[in-house]
Amino acid sequence: MATTPEHDQRMANMTFTSVYPHYLSKVEKKGRSKEELHQVITWLTGYDEVTLRKHISEKITFKEFFAQASLNPNAHLIKGVICGYRIEDITTPLTQQVRFLDKLVDELAKGRKMEKILRVP
């Protein structure tokens, strides 16, 4: 399923700050911690804790958030369906990166083991 240009633009302009509380709430409701959420985000983006907290406090867009990130070389191993889109079929890199993050948060909330989430061989 291909994304539309409008969908891709909406993803690019959405702020990380507006979505982060939803990520945190989702994982905490399922008994996971803020630290585990940060571990997952750090694995995907390469951000250290200081940089991540800075991005959370600022109103940067997902476009800016991922432009400054060093995407994990194993991110391509994140597969599956999220929000009706098969991640590996998304052709817009930024939209795919946002959906990578969404999928990791979902896996964390569903109780998946951290080594599986972080694609540890």
Side-chain angles (χ1 to χ4, degrees), residues 50-72:
V50 172
T51 305
L52 181 55
R53 275 189 262 144
K54 178 179 174 245
H55 288 326
I56 292 166
S57 68
E58 296 176 350
K59 294 187 181 208
I60 66 168
T61 63
F62 271 116
K63 182 177 181 178
E64 296 164 323
F65 182 81
F66 281 106
Q68 297 172 29
S70 297
L71 205 63
N72 189 294

Side-chain angles (χ1 to χ4, degrees), residues 69-107:
S70 297
L71 205 63
N72 189 294
N74 287 333
H76 70 280
L77 298 174
I78 303 168
K79 300 192 184 305
V81 177
I82 190 79
C83 300
Y85 295 97
R86 180 153 291 286
I87 295 171
E88 55 271 29
D89 294 342
I90 298 172
T91 56
T92 307
L94 177 61
T95 300
Q96 186 179 53
Q97 292 164 357
V98 173
R99 295 306 184 191
F100 282 160
L101 182 54
D102 291 343
K103 183 68 173 174
L104 294 177
V105 171
D106 273 4
E107 290 177 356

Side-chain angles (χ1 to χ4, degrees), residues 36 39-41 43-44 72 74 104 107 113-121:
E36 289 173 307
Q39 183 180 357
V40 165
I41 296 170
W43 176 86
L44 180 63
N72 189 294
N74 287 333
L104 294 177
E107 290 177 356
K113 293 182 179 178
M114 192 59 80
E115 58 268 7
K116 295 279 187 185
I117 298 169
L118 304 182
R119 280 43 184 187
V120 176

